[in-house]
């Protein structure tokens, strides 16, 4: 069994804790390697290395930093099968999705390669003569990146891409469920030419590694994707730092009575059961017009029962990530039954870490399964009478990441775009499938207003500097010209 190190100042090494943990393939429940259980001391050394590397990294032209990202994209592209299989093996999503996880990272690095030649500021006027005014984007400093297991390559790339092109250095703490994917991704960036100290990687528990990173005074920004509880903890404990949060959701699909039903069923199957429901963008609520409810339910159950469950490398629906996740899903299903939601299919854990697609109907907005993120292959059909009620139900949760409506009526679609309180709205498509050049993130409990990906990624990982250049040769003073009271 191979033992992997942590990366500090360009050197892979053991943690000072002397302890390791295993990463488990959830399909077989076998270990795939030993990883360092990092601690506070490791984080302190990693932050110090990142701080030192920042001095020269921030001065490298952004186009040169960007070239390293392009090179990394090309390496991933060349060996995409290898990296895609690794996603399926360590995280448990089907191979096609493992490959698309890697594709999302390739696209992201290519996009941020382009940002090396954009990173636009504003040029504007000055209220004084012979004076110029404009803004530039400047790096923030050392960034702490804390990432989840469900997109073990794509989500780190959303953070690493913009952080690096903008001139920041990083300490990366990946989820303990997918450390190998994180290490392989960082090795790709090393191969592509990242100088030592610019990326440091410390594996280990959130309660030590993550905590120290959040509290460290030399870390200027924390970018976190994960649970709402941890996001709230970070908000309270990070001190004065920039914070970017993406904290999950309870995403709805609305199916109107005029919808193309087969399309709506296909979209729901993908959004509810794709990645075994383990996406922040998964649709765990389907708000269905009563007129087509029965027909929709019949088609959805039939489609869900056709899905092939098993080893992620060879099946459509892989396992849940670990035992804790499976217990959590089963617990929510039991609560659903107790609260009198009607179970249409699934509802009982499979062998190992597997769980079958599970559909409830007659779910009402106050039920627990209509409110809380389950992060498993469970969806709740909620019948409604009209669009106004559908939107009200859709908005009746604490989260606001992704939403979707299936309708052939432009008026319904435009109303939904205006009124759904979510960061993303899809028309006639499922709630999953964001593209890397557009902002990704949500309203309400999903985050704190930051967005990742696309130009929003540059905004997230840089700051504005405002520049004034006075070429009058005099000391000109703003706001000191008294225009006096208006004359009648
Ligand atoms: C996530 O689940 O946190 O739109 C990210 C999607 C993917 C990204 C999901 N492109 O589902």
């Amino acid at each position: 069994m191979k033992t992997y190190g942590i990366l500090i100042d360009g050197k892979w090494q053991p943690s000072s804790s002397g302890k390791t943990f295993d990463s488990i393939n959830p399909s077989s429940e076998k270990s795939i390697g030993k990883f360092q259980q990092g601690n506070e001391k490791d984080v302190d050394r990693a932050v110090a290395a990142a701080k030192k590397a920042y001095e020269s990294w921030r001065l490298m032209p952004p186009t040169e930093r960007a070239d390293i990202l392009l090179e990394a994209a090309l390496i991933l592209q060349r060996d995409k099968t290898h990296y895609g299989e690794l996603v399926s093996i360590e995280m448990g999503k089907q191979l096609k999705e493992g490959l698309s996880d890697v594709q999302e990272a390739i696209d992201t690095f290519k996009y941020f390669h382009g940002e090396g030649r954009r990173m636009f500021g504003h040029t504007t006027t000055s209220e004084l003569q012979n004076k110029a005014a404009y803004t530039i984007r400047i790096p923030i400093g050392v960034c702490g990146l804390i990432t989840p297991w469900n997109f073990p390559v794509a989500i780190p790339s959303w953070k690493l891409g913009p952080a690096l092109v903008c001139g920041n250095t990083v300490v990366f703490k990946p989820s303990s469920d997918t450390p190998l994917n994180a290490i392989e991704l960082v090795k790709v960036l090393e191969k592509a030419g990242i100088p030592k100290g610019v990326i440091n990687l410390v594996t280990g528990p959130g309660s030590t590694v993550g905590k120290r990173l959040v509290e460290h005074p030399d870390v200027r920004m924390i970018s976190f994707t994960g649970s709402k509880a941890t996001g709230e903890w970070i908000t309270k404990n990070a001190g004065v730092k920039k914070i970017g949060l993406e904290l999950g959701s309870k995403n709805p699909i609305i199916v109107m009575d005029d919808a193309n039903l087969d399309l709506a069923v296909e979209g729901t199957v993908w959004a509810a059961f794709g990645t075994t429901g383990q996406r922040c963008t998964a649709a765990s609520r389907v708000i269905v017009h009563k007129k087509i409810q029965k027909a929709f339910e019949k088609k959805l159950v039939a489609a869900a029962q056709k899905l092939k469950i098993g080893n992620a490398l060879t099946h459509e629906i892989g396992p849940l990530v670990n035992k804790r996740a499976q217990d959590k899903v089963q617990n929510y299903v039991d609560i659903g039954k107790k609260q009198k939601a009607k179970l249409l299919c699934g509802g009982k854990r499979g062998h190992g870490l597997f769980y079958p697609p599970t559909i409830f109907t007659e779910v009402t907005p106050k039920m627990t399964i209509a409110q809380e993120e389950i992060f498993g292959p469970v969806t709740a059909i909620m019948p409604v009478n009209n669009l106004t009620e559908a939107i009200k139900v859709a908005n009746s949760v604490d989260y606001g990441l992704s939403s979707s409506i299936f309708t052939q009526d432009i008026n319904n679609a435009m109303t939904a775009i205006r009124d759904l309180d979510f960061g993303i709205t899809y028309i006639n498509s499922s709630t999953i499938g964001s593209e890397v050049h557009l902002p990704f993130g949500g309203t309400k409990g999903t985050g704190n207003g930051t967005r990742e990906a696309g130009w929003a990624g540059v905004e997230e990982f840089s700051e504005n500097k405002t520049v004034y250049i006075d070429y009058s040769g005099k000391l000109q003073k703003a706001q000191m010209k008294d225009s006096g009271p208006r004359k009648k």
Side-chain angles (χ1 to χ4, degrees), residues 104 148 150-151 154-155 158 225 246 248 275 278-282 375 401-402 424 426 431-436 440:
E104 200 158 339
N150 69 331
F151 277 81
I155 291 180
W158 292 2
T225 301
E246 205 274 278
T275 332
Q278 301 172 111
R279 290 197 189 217
C280 304
T281 51
F375 231 63
L401 182 56
S402 184
I424 304 169
Y426 291 93
T431 49
I432 69 188
S434 67
E435 299 178 32
V436 307
F440 181 92

Side-chain angles (χ1 to χ4, degrees), residues 30-53:
K30 293 209 173 91
S31 173
I32 60 168
K34 294 207 172 295
F35 298 85
Q36 302 302 315
Q37 192 166 322
N39 61 14
E40 289 87 349
K41 267 196 222 145
D42 300 324
V43 173
D44 287 356
R45 286 172 49 236
V47 171
K51 200 176 167 190
K52 195 171 103 226

Side-chain angles (χ1 to χ4, degrees), residues 2-18:
K2 195 167 169 192
T3 301
Y4 295 84
I6 54 176
L7 177 65
I8 298 176
D9 207 16
K11 200 169 160 267
W12 292 94
Q13 53 196 275
S15 159
S16 56
S17 75

Side-chain angles (χ1 to χ4, degrees), residues 107-403:
D107 297 342
T108 297
F109 285 162
K110 284 184 180 170
Y111 177 85
F112 286 107
H113 168 253
E115 277 299 336
R117 291 186 185 272
R118 281 191 296 266
M119 240 184 262
F120 296 127
H122 289 277
T123 304
T124 181
T125 59
S126 166
E127 64 183 59
L128 297 164
Q129 224 176 31
N130 296 327
K131 195 172 172 188
Y134 63 92
T135 67
I136 54 172
R137 307 294 315 188
I138 55 168
I140 300 169
V142 178
C143 297
L145 315 181
I146 307 177
T147 60
W149 47 265
N150 69 331
F151 277 81
V153 182
I155 291 180
S157 81
W158 292 2
K159 300 185 193 302
L160 286 163
L164 295 171
V165 80
C166 289
N168 306 285
T169 55
V170 309
V171 178
F172 173 21
K173 184 244 169 292
S175 161
S176 297
D177 282 308
T178 49
L180 184 53
N181 275 277
I183 286 171
E184 292 272 317
L185 180 65
V186 168
K187 285 191 171 159
V188 166
L189 284 153
E190 280 190 305
K191 234 187 258 168
I194 284 284
K196 70 177 181 138
V198 171
I199 302 178
N200 304 274
L201 179 146
V202 184
T203 48
S207 54
T208 49
V209 177
K211 182 168 184 285
R212 179 63 185 151
L213 205 48
V214 167
E215 290 173 343
H216 201 298
D218 288 339
V219 173
R220 300 302 320 139
M221 178 190 180
I222 291 289
S223 176
F224 171 75
T225 301
S227 76
K228 194 163 168 231
T230 305
E232 279 164 353
W233 186 89
I234 290 173
T235 308
K236 287 192 195 113
N237 292 278
V240 183
K241 285 184 179 58
K242 190 164 183 178
I243 305 173
L245 300 174
E246 205 274 278
L247 308 176
S249 191
K250 190 72 193 168
N251 311 295
I253 289 179
I254 297 174
V255 185
M256 290 304 292
D257 51 344
D258 60 46
N260 173 338
L261 222 50
D262 289 326
L263 185 65
V265 168
E266 206 185 327
T268 304
V269 168
W270 177 224
F273 309 126
T275 332
T276 322
Q278 301 172 111
R279 290 197 189 217
C280 304
T281 51
S284 53
R285 298 183 294 153
V286 199
I287 302 166
V288 179
H289 197 292
K290 279 184 184 160
K291 270 196 202 149
I292 45 103
Q293 183 190 346
K294 288 283 166 277
F296 178 81
E297 284 175 4
K298 210 168 143 212
K299 281 174 189 273
L300 185 66
V301 170
Q305 286 177 333
K306 271 200 209 114
L307 296 167
K308 305 245 176 332
I309 308 168
N311 188 311
L313 285 174
T314 46
H315 294 74
E316 286 170 286
I317 305 287
L320 292 165
V321 69
N322 57 34
K323 181 78 174 44
R324 227 173 334 114
Q326 196 192 38
D327 289 345
K328 184 176 158 202
V329 170
Q330 188 60 57
N331 184 43
Y332 274 118
V333 168
D334 293 343
I335 292 173
K337 287 184 201 160
K338 235 180 261 149
Q339 293 181 352
K340 303 266 184 298
K342 190 174 149 201
L343 187 66
L344 292 179
C345 65
K348 230 175 101 195
R349 74 176 84 212
H351 67 281
L353 296 175
F354 295 94
Y355 206 96
T358 298
I359 304 170
F360 281 103
T361 190
E362 304 302 339
V363 176
T364 54
K366 292 227 160 59
M367 288 183 187
T368 309
I369 58 166
Q371 288 293 328
E372 294 181 19
E373 186 175 48
I374 301 173
F375 231 63
V378 181
T379 200
I381 295 177
M382 309 177 73
V384 292
N385 292 298
N386 52 49
L387 181 64
T388 310
E389 190 188 344
I391 290 173
K392 194 165 161 231
V393 169
N395 289 343
S396 69
V397 291
D398 286 341
Y399 292 105
L401 182 56
S402 184
S403 55

